Amino acid sequence: MMATTNGKQPAHGKQPAHRPSRRQHIIDAAVRVFGRNGFAETSVQDIADEAQVVPTAVYYHFAGKEELLELAMRRVFDQLNTVVETARPDTEPGDAEGLMRVIDAVWDWVEKNPDEARLYQVQIASANGNIKLMRDEFEQRHIQRAYDYLPESTTRSPRAAKARHASQALAVRTLISTTILVTALRAEGGPLSRLPSRSVQKAVRSLALRIVAADQQAESAATSA
């Protein structure tokens, strides 16, 4: 029988494969390794080493690193969905106060979950296959929610309505891409990493309000034209 330490861990320092809790432990490790190295440069051995298990323990729970990446990214998307929808539930209006709560909630999530945030930054641009499908579903979900922060169009002219829709789409995507971009720039070693976190957060809040205000002015101009 293999010797153990305190009756829990094999003497060589590796964790047993079969514990149900080991599954989440391995996903935790995968989040960290994929965030540091990216998918291509990560092996099952790397994840096993990070989790302090043998590679067979990884394969006991998962088909391979592809499945692990999907589960790791699903965790990130699910966490962000929960954070955003807790800050402003769908039943509440999309006003400026709600927008600020969402920005602050996402900001706090990034600060409290640096491994997940780093994984998101590393994988979001190069996503393919099932990860791309998850990313597209995630983006569409929040694009639709972002429209709530803009005034409803009252333009009746088909041509003006088409232009108004394009203007709103640009405003929505700018809101979302700004948050994503700033998150990436704040990463360790990034150009914003040495600036005070709250100062950058304040600037993001200000920019978001300006984007919404500019769209409101565009709606007023289109209505009065």
XYZ file of all heavy atoms in Angstrom, residues 20-123:
834
model
N -14.158 13.381 -5.354
C -15.020 14.279 -6.143
C -14.542 15.722 -6.112
O -14.622 16.437 -7.112
C -16.387 14.123 -5.457
C -16.331 12.768 -4.828
C -14.898 12.585 -4.390
N -13.999 16.168 -4.959
C -13.534 17.545 -4.850
C -12.315 17.810 -5.717
O -11.991 18.963 -6.016
C -13.200 17.884 -3.397
O -12.156 17.044 -2.925
N -11.621 16.728 -6.103
C -10.418 16.891 -6.906
C -10.738 17.492 -8.261
O -9.905 18.177 -8.861
C -9.721 15.536 -7.073
C -8.313 15.630 -7.577
C -7.421 16.358 -6.595
N -7.368 15.650 -5.340
C -7.385 16.244 -4.155
N -7.438 17.566 -4.083
N -7.335 15.549 -3.045
N -11.943 17.279 -8.753
C -12.338 17.817 -10.059
C -12.249 19.344 -10.065
O -11.648 19.932 -10.957
C -13.764 17.350 -10.392
C -14.288 17.819 -11.738
C -15.691 17.270 -11.979
N -16.249 17.835 -13.188
C -16.071 17.324 -14.398
N -15.336 16.237 -14.555
N -16.608 17.906 -15.458
N -12.840 19.990 -9.067
C -12.780 21.450 -8.991
C -11.360 21.927 -8.729
O -10.948 22.974 -9.233
C -13.724 21.959 -7.896
C -15.195 21.832 -8.239
C -15.550 22.543 -9.526
O -15.110 23.668 -9.792
N -16.329 21.885 -10.373
N -10.615 21.166 -7.970
C -9.224 21.514 -7.691
C -8.402 21.547 -8.986
O -7.581 22.447 -9.192
C -8.642 20.483 -6.721
C -7.216 20.722 -6.347
N -6.809 21.777 -5.560
C -6.080 20.043 -6.677
C -5.495 21.741 -5.408
N -5.024 20.704 -6.071
N -8.653 20.601 -9.871
C -7.930 20.546 -11.145
C -8.376 21.685 -12.055
O -7.553 22.300 -12.751
C -8.132 19.170 -11.822
C -7.462 18.076 -10.988
C -7.559 19.174 -13.240
C -7.790 16.658 -11.434
N -9.663 22.011 -12.048
C -10.139 23.151 -12.850
C -9.506 24.443 -12.341
O -9.104 25.307 -13.137
C -11.680 23.248 -12.829
C -12.299 22.033 -13.526
C -12.148 24.539 -13.522
C -13.815 21.977 -13.439
N -9.390 24.595 -11.022
C -8.708 25.766 -10.450
C -7.295 25.888 -11.018
O -6.853 26.974 -11.407
C -8.616 25.650 -8.924
C -9.960 25.754 -8.238
O -10.913 26.240 -8.860
O -10.043 25.339 -7.063
N -6.599 24.757 -11.030
C -5.228 24.751 -11.550
C -5.204 25.099 -13.031
O -4.327 25.839 -13.497
C -4.585 23.379 -11.312
N -6.165 24.576 -13.785
C -6.225 24.843 -15.224
C -6.443 26.332 -15.492
O -5.838 26.902 -16.414
C -7.342 24.022 -15.867
N -7.299 26.972 -14.706
C -7.526 28.414 -14.855
C -6.206 29.165 -14.719
O -5.876 30.043 -15.537
C -8.546 28.914 -13.802
C -8.553 30.445 -13.748
C -9.942 28.401 -14.129
N -5.424 28.809 -13.722
C -4.162 29.513 -13.484
C -3.149 29.256 -14.609
O -2.506 30.194 -15.096
C -3.570 29.079 -12.140
C -4.405 29.489 -10.934
C -3.647 29.282 -9.631
N -3.362 27.868 -9.365
C -4.155 27.055 -8.702
N -5.334 27.484 -8.262
N -3.787 25.799 -8.463
N -3.021 28.009 -15.020
C -2.010 27.674 -16.027
C -2.392 28.220 -17.403
O -1.555 28.797 -18.109
C -1.783 26.144 -16.087
C -0.757 25.811 -17.164
C -1.300 25.626 -14.742
N -3.637 28.057 -17.795
C -4.065 28.590 -19.094
C -3.930 30.112 -19.108
O -3.583 30.706 -20.135
C -5.526 28.212 -19.377
C -5.727 26.784 -19.812
C -6.737 26.012 -19.259
C -4.929 26.213 -20.786
C -6.948 24.699 -19.658
C -5.114 24.902 -21.200
C -6.125 24.141 -20.626
N -4.220 30.750 -17.976
C -4.081 32.204 -17.903
C -2.641 32.656 -18.032
O -2.365 33.703 -18.627
N -1.712 31.887 -17.515
C -0.289 32.240 -17.599
C 0.302 31.914 -18.973
O 1.056 32.705 -19.537
C 0.502 31.477 -16.527
C 0.299 31.945 -15.123
C 1.422 31.444 -14.227
N 1.577 29.991 -14.265
C 1.073 29.157 -13.361
N 0.372 29.636 -12.344
N 1.277 27.856 -13.447
N -0.015 30.732 -19.478
C 0.692 30.206 -20.653
C -0.111 30.226 -21.945
O 0.482 30.097 -23.023
C 1.122 28.750 -20.389
C 1.981 28.610 -19.159
O 2.567 29.585 -18.685
N 2.067 27.415 -18.625
N -1.437 30.352 -21.862
C -2.248 30.170 -23.056
C -2.493 28.691 -23.312
O -1.880 27.819 -22.679
N -3.374 28.401 -24.244
C -3.754 27.011 -24.493
C -2.637 26.219 -25.157
O -2.288 25.112 -24.730
C -5.011 26.965 -25.367
C -5.451 25.572 -25.711
C -6.134 24.798 -24.782
C -5.190 25.023 -26.959
C -6.539 23.506 -25.082
C -5.596 23.742 -27.281
C -6.267 22.980 -26.333
N -2.056 26.762 -26.222
C -1.075 26.014 -27.016
C 0.146 25.628 -26.198
O 0.721 24.547 -26.404
C -0.657 26.825 -28.240
N 0.546 26.488 -25.270
C 1.765 26.246 -24.501
C 1.514 25.487 -23.204
O 2.429 25.316 -22.396
C 2.444 27.586 -24.186
C 2.871 28.370 -25.409
C 3.859 27.595 -26.277
O 4.747 26.931 -25.700
O 3.729 27.632 -27.512
N 0.285 25.038 -23.004
C -0.059 24.307 -21.790
C -0.240 22.824 -22.097
O -0.865 22.462 -23.091
C -1.355 24.858 -21.174
O -1.133 26.201 -20.738
C -1.810 24.022 -19.989
N 0.294 21.981 -21.253
C 0.119 20.531 -21.382
C -0.661 20.007 -20.178
O -0.787 20.686 -19.152
C 1.476 19.831 -21.448
O 2.157 19.953 -20.209
N -1.178 18.797 -20.307
C -1.846 18.159 -19.172
C -0.873 18.004 -18.013
O -1.247 18.153 -16.845
C -2.437 16.801 -19.597
C -2.901 16.004 -18.380
C -3.606 17.000 -20.561
N 0.395 17.740 -18.328
C 1.402 17.624 -17.282
C 1.529 18.942 -16.508
O 1.660 18.935 -15.278
C 2.759 17.254 -17.890
C 3.880 17.088 -16.874
C 3.677 15.863 -15.984
O 3.643 14.740 -16.482
N 3.531 16.085 -14.682
N 1.493 20.078 -17.226
C 1.575 21.383 -16.558
C 0.423 21.554 -15.571
O 0.609 22.046 -14.453
C 1.518 22.514 -17.585
C 2.734 22.546 -18.504
O 3.818 22.121 -18.065
O 2.583 22.991 -19.666
N -0.780 21.176 -16.011
C -1.957 21.319 -15.149
C -1.859 20.368 -13.964
O -2.177 20.738 -12.828
C -3.244 21.069 -15.965
C -3.388 22.150 -17.049
C -4.472 21.060 -15.055
C -4.476 21.872 -18.062
N -1.401 19.153 -14.216
C -1.233 18.187 -13.134
C -0.224 18.696 -12.108
O -0.450 18.592 -10.892
C -0.787 16.843 -13.708
N 0.880 19.252 -12.587
C 1.888 19.789 -11.669
C 1.317 20.917 -10.827
O 1.580 21.006 -9.614
C 3.103 20.286 -12.460
C 3.916 19.151 -13.083
O 3.733 17.990 -12.672
O 4.727 19.443 -13.991
N 0.543 21.800 -11.466
C -0.052 22.923 -10.738
C -1.032 22.434 -9.675
O -1.120 23.002 -8.575
C -0.772 23.856 -11.718
C -1.407 25.073 -11.104
C -0.410 26.154 -10.718
O 0.744 26.110 -11.189
O -0.786 27.057 -9.950
N -1.773 21.372 -10.011
C -2.768 20.820 -9.085
C -2.159 19.845 -8.084
O -2.860 19.370 -7.182
C -3.870 20.122 -9.873
N -0.872 19.535 -8.272
C -0.169 18.574 -7.419
C -0.826 17.194 -7.460
O -1.061 16.548 -6.436
C -0.076 19.089 -5.979
C 0.796 20.324 -5.833
C 1.021 20.715 -4.383
O 0.095 20.732 -3.585
N 2.257 21.024 -4.045
N -1.151 16.782 -8.682
C -1.656 15.433 -8.916
C -0.854 14.820 -10.050
O -0.123 15.518 -10.763
C -3.162 15.429 -9.285
C -3.997 16.039 -8.167
C -3.407 16.182 -10.595
N -0.996 13.531 -10.250
C -0.361 12.877 -11.390
C -1.253 13.071 -12.611
O -2.467 13.279 -12.475
C -0.135 11.379 -11.122
C 0.878 11.192 -10.001
C -1.444 10.684 -10.776
N -0.688 13.046 -13.829
C -1.502 13.252 -15.033
C -2.690 12.302 -15.143
O -3.744 12.687 -15.673
C -0.499 13.046 -16.170
C 0.807 13.440 -15.578
C 0.752 12.968 -14.148
N -2.545 11.067 -14.655
C -3.669 10.135 -14.735
C -4.869 10.627 -13.927
O -6.016 10.297 -14.245
C -3.245 8.740 -14.238
O -2.627 8.854 -12.945
C -2.274 8.088 -15.213
N -4.609 11.425 -12.890
C -5.709 11.989 -12.110
C -6.493 12.994 -12.942
O -7.715 13.109 -12.820
C -5.166 12.656 -10.842
N -5.791 13.741 -13.787
C -6.470 14.678 -14.687
C -7.350 13.907 -15.660
O -8.526 14.228 -15.865
C -5.446 15.541 -15.445
C -6.164 16.471 -16.431
C -4.596 16.361 -14.472
N -6.782 12.852 -16.256
C -7.545 12.060 -17.224
C -8.662 11.251 -16.567
O -9.601 10.835 -17.242
C -6.602 11.129 -17.993
C -5.758 11.856 -19.007
C -4.366 11.943 -18.860
C -6.340 12.480 -20.111
C -3.588 12.617 -19.790
C -5.566 13.157 -21.045
C -4.195 13.212 -20.880
O -3.434 13.888 -21.808
N -8.553 11.020 -15.264
C -9.628 10.338 -14.540
C -10.909 11.161 -14.583
O -12.017 10.619 -14.655
C -9.190 10.105 -13.089
C -10.209 9.391 -12.235
C -10.257 8.007 -12.175
C -11.118 10.120 -11.462
C -11.192 7.358 -11.385
C -12.057 9.485 -10.664
C -12.094 8.102 -10.629
O -13.019 7.469 -9.840
N -10.752 12.492 -14.538
C -11.909 13.392 -14.482
C -12.230 14.055 -15.820
O -13.380 14.446 -16.044
C -11.659 14.499 -13.451
C -11.620 14.019 -12.041
N -12.742 13.689 -11.318
C -10.568 13.803 -11.200
C -12.402 13.310 -10.088
N -11.084 13.370 -9.993
N -11.242 14.199 -16.703
C -11.427 14.990 -17.911
C -10.852 14.276 -19.131
O -9.897 13.505 -19.014
C -10.758 16.365 -17.765
C -11.154 17.095 -16.512
C -10.329 17.082 -15.399
C -12.358 17.774 -16.447
C -10.693 17.734 -14.233
C -12.734 18.438 -15.282
C -11.904 18.418 -14.173
N -11.414 14.591 -20.297
C -10.945 13.969 -21.537
C -9.577 14.503 -21.949
O -8.829 13.829 -22.655
C -11.949 14.202 -22.657
N -9.232 15.711 -21.534
C -7.956 16.309 -21.908
C -7.996 17.799 -21.688
O -8.928 18.348 -21.086
N -6.998 18.488 -22.186
C -6.904 19.921 -21.900
C -7.967 20.720 -22.638
O -8.333 21.814 -22.193
C -5.506 20.444 -22.212
C -5.114 20.509 -23.679
C -3.760 21.203 -23.815
C -3.414 21.487 -25.273
N -2.172 22.281 -25.413
N -8.497 20.195 -23.759
C -9.567 20.898 -24.465
C -10.802 21.024 -23.577
O -11.409 22.102 -23.472
C -9.923 20.178 -25.773
C -8.849 20.227 -26.842
C -7.759 19.183 -26.631
O -7.864 18.369 -25.679
O -6.785 19.192 -27.418
N -11.182 19.915 -22.940
C -12.340 19.958 -22.042
C -12.071 20.877 -20.859
O -12.955 21.621 -20.417
C -12.692 18.558 -21.551
C -13.929 18.552 -20.644
C -14.241 17.200 -20.036
O -13.427 16.262 -20.211
O -15.283 17.097 -19.360
N -10.849 20.831 -20.354
C -10.503 21.683 -19.213
C -10.604 23.167 -19.566
O -11.067 23.971 -18.763
C -9.100 21.350 -18.721
C -9.031 20.212 -17.700
C -7.600 19.730 -17.526
C -9.612 20.648 -16.356
N -10.163 23.522 -20.772
C -10.265 24.921 -21.177
C -11.726 25.337 -21.280
O -12.098 26.436 -20.845
C -9.557 25.151 -22.514
C -9.625 26.595 -23.024
C -8.926 27.548 -22.061
C -8.999 26.708 -24.417
N -12.558 24.483 -21.848
C -13.981 24.810 -21.955
C -14.595 25.030 -20.572
O -15.347 25.994 -20.361
C -14.728 23.699 -22.686
C -14.445 23.640 -24.179
C -15.283 22.586 -24.873
O -16.372 22.238 -24.336
O -14.869 22.100 -25.941
N -14.283 24.150 -19.643
C -14.836 24.279 -18.294
C -14.285 25.507 -17.577
O -15.016 26.182 -16.841
C -14.529 23.015 -17.495
C -15.263 21.753 -17.960
C -14.697 20.524 -17.273
C -16.757 21.867 -17.701
N -13.017 25.798 -17.801
C -12.420 26.984 -17.191
C -13.070 28.253 -17.723
O -13.402 29.179 -16.956
C -10.915 27.007 -17.453
N -13.278 28.316 -19.037
C -13.910 29.496 -19.619
C -15.378 29.590 -19.237
O -15.907 30.688 -19.048
C -13.752 29.467 -21.140
C -12.338 29.725 -21.629
S -11.673 31.329 -21.065
C -12.769 32.477 -21.897
N -16.036 28.445 -19.132
C -17.431 28.465 -18.688
C -17.529 29.061 -17.297
O -18.449 29.818 -16.998
C -17.997 27.041 -18.704
C -19.402 26.905 -18.104
C -20.408 27.800 -18.800
N -20.670 27.388 -20.158
C -21.384 28.103 -21.026
N -21.862 29.300 -20.642
N -21.585 27.668 -22.252
N -16.563 28.732 -16.439
C -16.551 29.319 -15.103
C -16.449 30.840 -15.191
O -17.178 31.564 -14.497
C -15.383 28.777 -14.289
C -15.210 29.512 -12.967
C -13.927 29.128 -12.252
N -13.980 27.778 -11.744
C -13.011 27.242 -11.003
N -11.937 27.944 -10.708
N -13.122 26.013 -10.572
N -15.553 31.334 -16.039
C -15.361 32.776 -16.181
C -16.646 33.446 -16.657
O -17.098 34.444 -16.073
C -14.210 33.079 -17.158
C -14.160 34.563 -17.483
C -12.877 32.624 -16.570
N -17.253 32.902 -17.713
C -18.480 33.501 -18.250
C -19.609 33.456 -17.224
O -20.354 34.426 -17.067
C -18.899 32.791 -19.536
C -17.978 33.037 -20.699
C -17.568 31.995 -21.509
C -17.523 34.312 -20.993
C -16.716 32.210 -22.595
C -16.669 34.545 -22.074
C -16.277 33.490 -22.868
N -19.748 32.330 -16.520
C -20.814 32.208 -15.529
C -20.613 33.196 -14.387
O -21.575 33.814 -13.905
C -20.861 30.780 -14.975
C -21.457 29.779 -15.958
O -22.039 30.222 -16.973
O -21.341 28.565 -15.715
N -19.364 33.352 -13.953
C -19.096 34.297 -12.871
C -19.426 35.723 -13.304
O -20.057 36.481 -12.558
C -17.632 34.205 -12.443
C -17.297 32.980 -11.619
C -15.856 32.987 -11.131
O -15.100 33.924 -11.384
N -15.462 31.938 -10.441
N -18.998 36.099 -14.499
C -19.265 37.455 -14.983
C -20.764 37.688 -15.176
O -21.270 38.770 -14.848
C -18.509 37.702 -16.296
C -17.038 38.069 -16.141
C -16.337 38.047 -17.490
C -16.876 39.435 -15.485
N -21.460 36.702 -15.717
C -22.911 36.836 -15.867
C -23.568 37.094 -14.517
O -24.430 37.978 -14.383
C -23.507 35.569 -16.491
C -23.232 35.462 -17.977
O -23.014 36.466 -18.656
N -23.246 34.255 -18.501
N -23.165 36.339 -13.510
C -23.745 36.492 -12.181
C -23.424 37.862 -11.589
O -24.295 38.530 -11.019
C -23.223 35.389 -11.244
O -23.617 34.107 -11.757
C -23.781 35.559 -9.838
N -22.177 38.291 -11.754
C -21.754 39.597 -11.228
C -22.575 40.726 -11.850
O -23.096 41.611 -11.146
C -20.250 39.814 -11.495
C -19.876 41.279 -11.311
C -19.414 38.940 -10.564
N -22.700 40.699 -13.174
C -23.413 41.769 -13.886
C -24.895 41.759 -13.547
O -25.498 42.810 -13.290
C -23.197 41.627 -15.406
C -24.115 42.571 -16.174
C -21.740 41.898 -15.760
N -25.497 40.578 -13.528
C -26.939 40.513 -13.302
C -27.310 40.733 -11.838
O -28.435 41.129 -11.545
C -27.463 39.172 -13.823
C -27.429 39.141 -15.350
C -27.570 37.750 -15.938
O -28.070 36.853 -15.218
O -27.188 37.569 -17.106
N -26.375 40.510 -10.936
C -26.614 40.849 -9.536
C -26.538 42.362 -9.347
O -27.328 42.950 -8.596
C -25.589 40.159 -8.619
O -25.716 38.734 -8.768
C -25.813 40.530 -7.165
N -25.601 42.991 -10.047
C -25.446 44.452 -9.949
C -26.655 45.180 -10.532
O -27.095 46.190 -9.988
C -24.174 44.889 -10.664
N -27.174 44.663 -11.653
C -28.405 45.242 -12.223
C -29.256 44.118 -12.800
O -29.060 43.690 -13.928
C -28.114 46.262 -13.323
C -29.423 46.919 -13.825
C -29.236 47.808 -15.020
N -28.885 47.119 -16.233
C -29.767 46.517 -17.056
N -31.049 46.489 -16.763
N -29.362 45.938 -18.172
N -30.218 43.636 -12.028
C -31.108 42.588 -12.527
C -31.885 43.060 -13.756
O -32.093 44.265 -13.949
C -32.053 42.323 -11.350
C -31.302 42.810 -10.148
C -30.484 43.981 -10.631
N -32.302 42.120 -14.577
C -33.067 42.459 -15.775
C -34.364 43.194 -15.452
O -34.908 43.905 -16.289
C -33.400 41.186 -16.568
C -32.172 40.607 -17.253
O -31.242 41.380 -17.544
O -32.139 39.385 -17.488
N -34.861 43.017 -14.238
C -36.115 43.664 -13.847
C -35.938 45.137 -13.504
O -36.925 45.853 -13.348
C -36.722 42.938 -12.627
O -35.738 42.878 -11.585
C -37.140 41.516 -13.004
N -34.683 45.590 -13.378
C -34.434 46.987 -13.032
C -34.096 47.786 -14.290
O -33.530 47.255 -15.245
C -33.275 47.093 -12.031
C -33.608 46.517 -10.675
C -32.523 46.794 -9.655
O -31.559 47.532 -9.985
O -32.630 46.272 -8.534
N -34.437 49.078 -14.297
C -34.178 49.896 -15.477
C -32.685 50.088 -15.733
O -31.878 50.070 -14.807
C -34.841 51.243 -15.134
C -34.853 51.276 -13.628
C -35.070 49.853 -13.211
N -32.345 50.275 -16.993
C -30.950 50.495 -17.355
C -30.596 51.966 -17.286
O -30.374 52.603 -18.327
N -30.525 52.507 -16.087
C -30.207 53.925 -15.933
C -28.727 54.092 -15.594
O -27.971 53.124 -15.497
C -31.085 54.560 -14.851
C -31.025 53.802 -13.524
O -30.081 52.998 -13.328
O -31.922 53.995 -12.692
N -28.323 55.349 -15.412
C -26.913 55.640 -15.141
C -26.448 54.985 -13.848
O -25.324 54.479 -13.764
C -26.711 57.155 -15.069
N -27.299 54.961 -12.854
C -26.929 54.344 -11.581
C -26.662 52.850 -11.766
O -25.697 52.300 -11.225
C -28.046 54.548 -10.558
C -27.733 53.947 -9.192
C -28.872 54.142 -8.201
O -29.795 54.920 -8.497
O -28.828 53.499 -7.134
N -27.523 52.203 -12.543
C -27.330 50.779 -12.807
C -26.054 50.513 -13.572
O -25.337 49.541 -13.301
N -25.739 51.378 -14.532
C -24.507 51.232 -15.314
C -23.287 51.352 -14.408
O -22.326 50.583 -14.536
C -24.459 52.296 -16.413
C -23.198 52.326 -17.286
C -22.958 50.982 -17.956
C -23.298 53.445 -18.322
N -23.308 52.303 -13.489
C -22.187 52.469 -12.574
C -22.035 51.252 -11.663
O -20.918 50.818 -11.360
C -22.375 53.735 -11.719
C -22.338 55.045 -12.506
S -20.770 55.303 -13.393
C -21.243 54.799 -15.073
N -23.152 50.696 -11.229
C -23.076 49.498 -10.382
C -22.449 48.337 -11.146
O -21.648 47.574 -10.582
C -24.471 49.099 -9.882
C -25.066 50.015 -8.846
C -26.147 49.317 -8.028
N -27.148 48.682 -8.866
C -28.252 49.279 -9.304
N -28.499 50.546 -8.974
N -29.125 48.639 -10.054
N -22.797 48.191 -12.408
C -22.237 47.109 -13.210
C -20.736 47.296 -13.398
O -19.950 46.356 -13.232
C -22.953 47.021 -14.578
C -22.188 46.101 -15.534
C -24.378 46.516 -14.397
N -20.332 48.505 -13.757
C -18.905 48.779 -13.950
C -18.128 48.496 -12.670
O -17.077 47.845 -12.684
C -18.690 50.229 -14.404
C -19.202 50.407 -15.839
C -17.211 50.625 -14.313
C -19.184 51.842 -16.325
N -18.659 48.959 -11.537
C -17.978 48.751 -10.256
C -17.913 47.265 -9.900
O -16.900 46.776 -9.379
C -18.686 49.523 -9.147
C -18.540 51.026 -9.295
O -17.677 51.464 -10.085
O -19.293 51.762 -8.634
N -18.994 46.535 -10.181
C -19.047 45.111 -9.841
C -18.043 44.319 -10.674
O -17.343 43.436 -10.153
C -20.452 44.571 -10.048
N -17.950 44.630 -11.962
C -16.985 43.941 -12.823
C -15.563 44.301 -12.393
O -14.671 43.447 -12.371
C -17.217 44.302 -14.302
C -16.094 43.755 -15.175
C -18.559 43.750 -14.775
N -15.366 45.555 -12.041
C -14.044 46.002 -11.586
C -13.615 45.224 -10.341
O -12.487 44.742 -10.256
C -14.100 47.491 -11.269
C -12.763 48.145 -11.220
C -11.949 48.268 -10.118
C -12.067 48.777 -12.296
N -10.801 48.939 -10.458
C -10.851 49.267 -11.790
C -12.384 48.991 -13.635
C -9.930 49.947 -12.578
C -11.466 49.663 -14.425
C -10.259 50.134 -13.904
N -14.532 45.094 -9.401
C -14.219 44.354 -8.181
C -13.958 42.879 -8.476
O -13.087 42.258 -7.859
C -15.368 44.489 -7.174
C -15.461 45.884 -6.570
O -14.472 46.638 -6.679
O -16.524 46.225 -6.017
N -14.710 42.311 -9.414
C -14.500 40.903 -9.785
C -13.090 40.708 -10.332
O -12.417 39.730 -9.968
C -15.536 40.477 -10.822
C -15.325 39.073 -11.309
C -15.770 37.924 -10.716
C -14.602 38.664 -12.476
N -15.364 36.827 -11.440
C -14.642 37.242 -12.518
C -13.927 39.344 -13.478
C -14.031 36.511 -13.545
C -13.315 38.621 -14.498
C -13.366 37.216 -14.525
N -12.645 41.622 -11.183
C -11.300 41.524 -11.742
C -10.256 41.571 -10.628
O -9.290 40.799 -10.621
C -11.044 42.654 -12.763
C -9.568 42.722 -13.155
C -11.899 42.446 -14.007
N -10.454 42.453 -9.654
C -9.484 42.593 -8.572
C -9.463 41.369 -7.660
O -8.412 40.978 -7.148
C -9.805 43.841 -7.752
C -9.818 45.110 -8.589
C -8.954 46.211 -8.012
O -8.984 46.395 -6.795
O -8.254 46.874 -8.795
N -10.614 40.741 -7.469
C -10.711 39.604 -6.556
C -10.429 38.269 -7.245
O -10.192 37.264 -6.567
C -12.099 39.568 -5.924
C -12.380 40.732 -4.994
C -13.810 40.707 -4.495
C -14.105 41.906 -3.603
N -15.532 41.936 -3.165
N -10.492 38.253 -8.575
C -10.305 37.010 -9.330
C -9.262 37.208 -10.434
O -9.577 37.094 -11.625
C -11.633 36.552 -9.940
C -12.692 36.286 -8.897
O -12.787 35.194 -8.345
N -13.501 37.295 -8.617
N -8.029 37.514 -10.070
C -7.009 37.821 -11.092
C -6.727 36.652 -12.034
O -6.428 36.875 -13.203
C -5.772 38.176 -10.257
C -6.003 37.520 -8.924
C -7.480 37.588 -8.702
N -6.836 35.408 -11.549
C -6.569 34.258 -12.419
C -7.632 34.140 -13.503
O -7.320 33.957 -14.685
C -6.512 32.964 -11.600
C -5.363 32.956 -10.613
O -4.282 33.467 -10.966
O -5.536 32.439 -9.496
N -8.907 34.255 -13.106
C -9.993 34.185 -14.080
C -9.946 35.363 -15.043
O -10.187 35.208 -16.253
C -11.339 34.146 -13.361
C -11.697 32.820 -12.735
C -11.036 32.592 -11.377
O -10.261 33.477 -10.932
O -11.282 31.539 -10.767
N -9.635 36.553 -14.512
C -9.556 37.737 -15.369
C -8.439 37.593 -16.394
O -8.604 37.943 -17.574
C -9.327 38.986 -14.520
N -7.305 37.058 -15.975
C -6.184 36.860 -16.893
C -6.539 35.829 -17.966
O -6.224 35.996 -19.135
C -4.947 36.416 -16.115
C -3.678 36.373 -16.966
C -2.479 35.951 -16.137
N -2.240 36.861 -15.031
C -2.434 36.559 -13.743
N -2.876 35.357 -13.409
N -2.192 37.444 -12.813
N -7.224 34.765 -17.568
C -7.645 33.746 -18.531
C -8.570 34.357 -19.574
O -8.438 34.087 -20.772
C -8.343 32.599 -17.810
C -8.946 31.508 -18.705
C -7.872 30.820 -19.526
C -9.714 30.488 -17.859
N -9.506 35.175 -19.133
C -10.421 35.848 -20.050
C -9.643 36.686 -21.059
O -9.901 36.616 -22.263
C -11.387 36.731 -19.260
C -12.378 37.478 -20.113
C -13.595 36.907 -20.460
C -12.103 38.766 -20.580
C -14.514 37.588 -21.249
C -13.005 39.452 -21.357
C -14.215 38.865 -21.684
O -15.103 39.543 -22.478
N -8.690 37.440 -20.592
C -7.904 38.302 -21.473
C -7.105 37.495 -22.486
O -7.024 37.852 -23.660
C -6.942 39.158 -20.643
C -7.628 40.125 -19.703
C -6.751 40.493 -18.522
O -5.542 40.283 -18.537
N -7.357 41.029 -17.477
N -6.531 36.383 -22.040
C -5.677 35.573 -22.900
C -6.486 34.860 -23.972
O -6.075 34.767 -25.135
C -4.888 34.545 -22.048
C -4.223 33.490 -22.930
C -3.834 35.255 -21.216
N -7.670 34.367 -23.615
C -8.415 33.484 -24.508
C -9.472 34.181 -25.359
O -9.875 33.655 -26.395
C -9.101 32.381 -23.691
C -8.130 31.396 -23.075
C -7.346 30.624 -24.121
O -7.852 30.319 -25.200
N -6.091 30.336 -23.826
